[in-house]
């Protein structure tokens, strides 16, 4: 069994906030066939369903963002699950808007919801981070995060969430690179596998070569005319002069 937790704040006043993109993501998955209506349990809204043959519990903590881990941790203990059975979806300031990244474990990056999950659920869970962009200065972060998505954002937000819901089985099967490519294509980006690879720099050849190597390769050797080396080279190459 897997728990997919979307992070956000409950209440209609927060519904359109950038901070609530995690709620929006699990809402999009829940609207797909096979998931039950939302119900209240574990101080959260939950919906049960199945993806890729795996039982899945969608959860939206109703404890407010900073205490998200209390609700998710309660559900994990009830089902006797560990962090390896948890996928968290949340907003990421340090990713450009419309970008997505997924990883297992890591730091909380100042995200209070993630900090709470780490404290109550362990740290080695999978984290799907959805970029909301950074406003440019620390003073603007609070209003940016708790502000609604701008009208222009909906040109990428709806396609991103729809693509996530359409390909949620990839999330469950841990087909992470394939999922990232699907999400990138949905918002007009290029899949990671098509990104140009950096060119390899040619390996510099050694500047100097021995007298013997120069002679064997057909180059014009700088042969000494006197001394032991001169005598040896004359014997090796038939004693021919230049």
């Amino acid at each position: 069994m897997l728990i997919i937790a979307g992070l956000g704040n409950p209440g209609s006043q927060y519904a359109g906030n950038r901070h609530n993109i995690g709620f929006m993501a699990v809402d999009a998955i829940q609207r797909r066939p096979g998931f039950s209506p939302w119900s209240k349990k574990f101080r959260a809204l939950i919906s049960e369903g199945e993806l890729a043959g795996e039982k899945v519990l969608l959860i939206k903590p109703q404890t407010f963002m900073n205490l998200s881990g209390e609700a998710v941790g309660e559900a994990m203990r009830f089902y006797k699950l560990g962090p390896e059975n948890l996928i968290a979806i949340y907003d990421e300031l340090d990713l450009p808007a419309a970008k997505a990244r997924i990883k297992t474990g890591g730091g909380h990056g100042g995200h209070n919801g993630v900090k709470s999950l780490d404290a109550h659920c362990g740290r080695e869970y999978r984290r799907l981070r959805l970029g909301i962009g950074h406003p440019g200065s620390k003073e603007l972060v609070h209003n940016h995060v708790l502000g609604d998505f701008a009208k222009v954002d909906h040109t990428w937000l709806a396609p991103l969430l729809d693509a996530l819901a359409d390909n949620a089985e990839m999330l469950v099967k841990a087909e992470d690179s394939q999922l990232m490519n699907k999400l990138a294509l949905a918002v007009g980006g290029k899949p990671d596998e098509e990104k140009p690879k950096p060119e390899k720099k040619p390996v510099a050849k050694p500047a100097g070569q021995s007298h013997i190597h120069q002679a064997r390769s057909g180059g014009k050797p700088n042969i000494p005319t006197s001394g032991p080396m001169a005598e040896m080279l004359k014997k090796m190459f038939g004693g021919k002069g230049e």
Side-chain angles (χ1 to χ4, degrees), residues 87-183:
I87 303 170
I89 308 177
Y90 56 91
D91 58 298
E92 177 58 80
L93 269 171
D94 293 330
L95 280 178
K99 297 292 184 183
R101 291 290 182 269
I102 191 165
K103 64 178 180 177
T104 299
H108 55 73
H111 194 296
N112 288 329
V114 179
K115 193 182 298 184
S116 180
L117 286 182
D118 289 352
H120 292 273
C121 308
R123 294 170 58 109
E124 294 303 306
Y125 55 89
R126 288 169 66 219
R127 305 158 188 238
L128 175 56
R129 301 172 292 143
L130 304 179
I132 60 169
H134 198 287
S137 68
K138 190 175 180 181
E139 294 74 21
L140 299 174
V141 165
H142 180 79
N143 288 338
H144 178 74
V145 168
L146 292 180
D148 287 355
F149 280 105
K151 191 174 182 179
V152 69
D153 290 326
H154 290 274
T155 60
W156 62 261
L157 181 60
L160 178 72
L161 298 178
D162 285 344
L164 174 58
D166 289 342
N167 297 285
E169 287 195 352
M170 290 182 176
L171 185 63
V172 169
K173 292 190 288 185
E175 295 175 348
D176 294 345
S177 60
Q178 296 95 317
L179 177 60
M180 293 301 98
N181 288 342
K182 292 285 188 182
L183 298 186

